[in-house]
Amino acid sequence: MSNFDNNCYLIALTSGTGGTSEAGDLNSIYSKIFYNINSGSPGVAPPAIPPYEIIILGEFPNSRYFSIGLYDNHSAVTQNITDVNVVPLTSNDINPYEPGVPFVSGQRYGAVVNLGGTPGNIQTGCMMNGYNFESNSMDGTQRHPYINWNFDPTFIQEGHGNLAHEVDTPTHTNPNQAGVIIIRSYLDLTAASQATTPHVIIRDVASGCAYPSAYVNSLANVVTNSSDTGNVWLNQQQVQEHNVFANWQSGECWGIVPPPYNLIQWERQDEYTPGANPDAAYLIANVPAGLPQTLASMGEVMLIQFQVPTTPPTPCVYGCSRSGNEQMRYMSISFQITGGGTLASLPDSCPQNPLAPCTPLIQDAFGNVSLVVGTGVPQPSWVTPANGYTWLDLSLLPNYTELNEIAIRHILPSSWFDCSTQMVPYKVFEATTNGAKNGVTGLMGLYSPWITEPVVGSAPSSGLPATATPIACPPGKLSCTACDVYPSGLPAIISPTNQQCSVGPSNTVMVTKVVTQCADLPGGGGCEYVVVQPSPPLNIIGQGFGYLPLGLPYTGNSNFLEINDATQVWIAGLTGSPCNVSIGEWSDGQISLIANVNQNGLCPMAVGDKLTVTVTNPQTLTSATLGPITVAASSGAGTRKPKP
């Protein structure tokens, strides 16, 4: 590798905060590069799957969180390596994200993105023995396994879907053709240099030798850091169709946190967002149009109060480290405008001497925050950190009158912390009460913000006291400090004709179909059977599944799902099973997952095996089983459009 880690071969990634149009966190650095396999370029004949691989090189940043994400040509994530799982480049390098390990500069990492091709005889001088690239290996030909509207016949029948969702086949005859690499780093204290800034090398698979960057750039069809070129490589029809499907899916709610405690309700974001971070989940409050002007004219501010989960003291320069016992890795609140621009982002805390301006959330000893947001009202003299307040004046920022949403970002909650945004189902409101219960709470408890609009003046008033009063239960309520559990019934669907939240009855648990997500059939629906393949992506269709109380996405076992191969005598997904599952979606009518079976000899699957699948509703604890399901051979059929 030392022969190629120099300016002759290095290709830079673009870097930015994503705050212009990607709703990014302004306390982060997003490094990005597009890759192409066989999408072609304007005026360039599309190559066959090339004998290239992408080598990613960099140094572990001194930051709170870091990851390497791979996205396909739908701009949906296919693989992600979280910082603590990144294997250092050599045995002499260390990973500073492991619990108890303080940051030391100069620690290197490497990763590889395979684009196809067959390895050959590696030439002398091109060998990379002793370097741990393959330990951080990702496959650029893979497609994302979830968010498949082919399994939602209503979407297609109502004429909303113009195209079938493009998926791969079990024999991998319809591989991904292009995509994006995104490297994220939050609260980064690393000074930029050639060594510390992520970069890539393009390597020939057969010989192992790297291509000079000038040659790669002249091809104009392997990698690019130009979004104008890279976006042409992506399948923009499928990206648009994903957005159509996300917008078509209805929001749902069990209840609200009623006024005067909260004036704007919080909802988890759509499952699909181009380039979304799989380690993060977002809670969105949609701001009424014209609110900044209205607040200023009324002499009011937004008071946003909530609890901040405990987070590590990193990054630092004095030997601190994360313990691993924190509730969450990172949390922030962002104020966004139409078109994906970000006005401001406030993190849970800021490092000493940050490289970029950083406004922290002022917390009391219990993590309580009282954030006062002004849109033209002068800062009250008593609204200071000493009095427990965080002050943010949006009117100092361009385009602040276009404020249309506020976002809470939670990254990597601990498995035992059950009050994170990840616990809220996609497109479902966080609140679980309607003011009728003896409590005002939701699935995140007081970790979900309450927004009020107090009047401010020249002296402290009852609306905005001299000293910040922590968020607490209203008088007469028994408890709202604990995070609520899922109600036993379904949330109401919010539509133009129904704006009322409620807890509906539960559906009877029923599993009607278990199929592999593979080649699409006319009319959508994917395969009508389970196809043998390593780590099969499965869709469980039915009703009455309830909601998974373990957070999404989720990898592991639970008491709520069991895949049983009676022929090979193994169980996956159930607590204590030798093989687990990775669940991307769990709604009342559909579960999408990857069964981590039939690989490396563990939990083997073969044609003719008899499977049974059992789903248990986590709220009602009632179950249903479908089987036996006969495992079919792979047909390798391609993708087809649904019937009109």
Side-chain angles (χ1 to χ4, degrees), residues 601-635:
L602 194 61
C603 300
M605 178 187 291
V607 174
D609 281 6
K610 304 298 183 181
L611 306 180
T612 58
V613 173
T614 300
V615 177
T616 300
N617 182 310
Q619 285 73 59
T620 64
L621 299 182
T622 55
S623 302
T625 299
L626 182 67
I629 303 162
T630 302
V631 176
S634 172
S635 65

Side-chain angles (χ1 to χ4, degrees), residues 42 205 341 350 381 410 413 489 545 555 561 621 624:
V205 174
C350 293
S381 60
H410 283 176
F545 300 155
T555 295
L561 180 68
L621 299 182

Side-chain angles (χ1 to χ4, degrees), residues 11-14 32-34 217 223-230 233:
I11 300 173
L13 282 69
T14 59
K32 178 188 295 187
I33 194 165
F34 295 84
N217 292 333
V223 294
T224 182
N225 50 30
S226 166
S227 59
D228 290 338
T229 301
W233 294 346

